[in-house]
């Protein structure tokens, strides 16, 4: 069952069960309460996703499924994002299906936004 977070009636982010399970595993492994997803300038396509861990939630954070923190400043870049986690023989990784991205690079973690 997919987990969803709505902000002002608009779907903020969808987290698949695989992604949610992996976020919980990472949180436990790093002994942190939250996993944080941020958007930073850089990467081969202009913006990149950045992961960190933490125990504190700020007033500017959006908490999704009690595990994922997203600073409200990143909302414009990820509204409607579907986060999945794919396990494969030669490597496992999060995948981002981002409707705000106009292009993305081959690695799948860098993107540019629609203007």
């Amino acid at each position: 069952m997919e987990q969803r977070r709505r902000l002002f009636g608009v779907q903020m982010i969808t987290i698949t069960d695989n992604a949610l399970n992996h976020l919980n595993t990472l949180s436990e492994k790093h002994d942190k309460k939250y996993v944080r997803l941020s958007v930073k300038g850089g990467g081969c396509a202009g913006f990149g996703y950045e992961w960190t861990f933490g125990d504190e939630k700020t007033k500017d954070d959006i908490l999704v499924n009690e595990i994922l923190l997203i600073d409200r400043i990143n909302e414009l870049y990820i509204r409607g994002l579907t986060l999945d986690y794919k396990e494969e023989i030669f490597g496992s990784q999060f995948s981002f299906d981002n409707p705000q991205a106009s292009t993305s690079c081959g690695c799948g973690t860098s993107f540019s936004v629609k203007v």
Side-chain angles (χ1 to χ4, degrees), residues 27-65:
S27 169
E28 291 172 15
K29 180 179 178 179
H30 291 274
D31 195 28
K32 295 294 181 182
K33 187 172 182 177
Y34 304 112
V35 179
R36 178 179 294 279
L37 175 61
S38 302
V39 175
K40 300 291 181 186
C44 51
F47 292 97
Y49 300 105
E50 181 176 272
W51 295 101
T52 56
F53 299 95
D55 289 318
E56 302 295 323
K57 178 183 178 291
T58 71
K59 64 180 176 75
D60 294 323
D61 286 330
I62 299 167
L63 178 60
V64 183
N65 297 99

Side-chain angles (χ1 to χ4, degrees), residues 6 19 29 35 41 51 53 85 100-101 103 106 113:
R6 292 189 180 273
K29 180 179 178 179
V35 179
W51 295 101
F53 299 95
Y85 185 75
Q100 303 305 319
T103 61
V113 292

Side-chain angles (χ1 to χ4, degrees), residues 4-13 61-63 70-72 75-76 79:
R4 299 174 191 267
R5 165 71 161 120
R6 292 189 180 273
L7 187 63
F8 306 114
V10 175
Q11 182 176 311
M12 169 68 164
I13 184 172
D61 286 330
I62 299 167
L63 178 60
I70 300 169
D71 189 305
R72 291 184 193 282
E75 179 186 355
L76 293 174
R79 182 179 288 174

Side-chain angles (χ1 to χ4, degrees), residues 16 19 24 31 36 42 48 51 55 66-67 88 95-96 111-112:
T16 66
N24 283 310
D31 195 28
R36 178 179 294 279
W51 295 101
D55 289 318
E66 305 302 317
I67 186 74
E88 299 177 2
S95 67
F96 305 88
F111 65 99
S112 62

